[in-house]
Amino acid sequence: MAATWWRALFLWEMGTGKTRTMIDGYRLSRRETPGLKRMLVLAPPVVMPTWVNEVARCSQGEMTACIWDGTDKSYEKAQESDVVVLSYARARLEFDTKFKGPQRLKDFEYQVIVSDESHSIGNYDSAQTQAALILSAKASRRYLLSGTAADHPGKLYSQFRFL
C-alpha cells in the first residue's frame, strides 16, 4: 500500500506492523522511482530508536537510518542517510523564531514524510503541529501512522491537513 499510495493514514493497532509497512513500502517505491532519496520520520522520542533498528533489520543493510538531534554530527549523518528520524520537539524548535541555533531543517531535502504517532499533531494551533505541516508541504509522499488517531473529530483536521 505504501508503495502505490502517495498519501495514506495507517490507523492500525499497536504492534500490527505500521513501521515495517512504511519501510518496505519506501524500499519498493525507491526501486520504481529513482528520485526518492530520503524519508523524514517525525516521531516521539520513545519510538525513534525503533525506527533506526527496524530500517537496518527490514532493509537488510540496503538502507541506512539516523536520528537527527540538532547536532552537527547528526546533521552530517542525516545528509548520508536514507531515513532520518526527527522528534516532534526538534521540528518545533527548528521553526521557533526565538531559537538561536542553526535552522537546517528548512533546507533539508526529502521526498517522503511520515508522522508516526500522528495524534501528536492533533492540536492545530500548537507550534509542534504547525512545524509538522510546514515539513509535510515539502514532501510529495505523506503518511500518518497511529493506533489512536484522535479522541475528538477536531483533532483529525491537522492530521488530514498533513496529508
Side-chain angles (χ1 to χ4, degrees):
M1 289 191 295
T4 56
W5 296 346
W6 285 34
R7 305 206 178 155
L9 164 61
F10 291 87
L11 187 56
W12 298 353
E13 292 291 324
M14 186 174 76
T16 55
K18 296 181 294 287
T19 303
R20 173 72 189 248
T21 299
M22 282 309 312
I23 293 166
D24 288 346
Y26 179 56
R27 274 181 49 223
L28 291 171
S29 296
R30 284 172 36 126
R31 289 179 186 159
E32 297 172 6
T33 312
L36 294 180
K37 296 188 293 186
R38 189 171 298 119
M39 178 166 70
L40 183 69
V41 178
L42 296 171
V46 69
V47 299
M48 292 169 62
T50 301
W51 273 94
V52 174
N53 294 336
E54 287 296 299
V55 166
R57 187 177 70 79
C58 297
S59 75
Q60 299 174 350
E62 182 182 326
M63 297 188 310
T64 59
C66 74
I67 294 173
W68 183 348
D69 62 8
T71 62
D72 291 340
K73 186 176 180 177
S74 70
Y75 176 72
E76 290 169 15
K77 193 164 186 176
Q79 295 295 330
E80 301 166 0
S81 296
D82 302 301
V83 178
V84 177
V85 186
L86 179 75
S87 72
Y88 288 105
R90 181 76 213 169
R92 182 190 71 237
L93 186 62
E94 291 260 346
F95 287 98
D96 187 344
T97 56
K98 297 175 187 170
F99 180 60
K100 301 294 185 211
Q103 295 179 327
R104 298 178 177 133
L105 196 51
K106 292 177 184 174
D107 299 321
F108 191 66
E109 294 292 323
Y110 54 93
Q111 298 74 35
V112 178
I113 189 167
V114 175
S115 173
D116 193 2
E117 303 296 342
S118 65
H119 55 273
S120 299
I121 59 171
N123 180 357
Y124 184 78
D125 295 326
S126 75
Q128 178 168 291
T129 298
Q130 291 305 309
L133 294 176
I134 291 167
L135 292 170
S136 75
K138 290 176 55 177
S140 58
R141 298 179 187 220
R142 307 171 193 168
Y143 303 96
L144 299 170
L145 312 179
S146 184
T148 54
D151 57 358
H152 183 275
K155 292 185 178 178
L156 288 171
Y157 177 76
S158 21
Q159 293 178 71
F160 285 127
R161 194 60 200 261
F162 180 95
L163 291 177

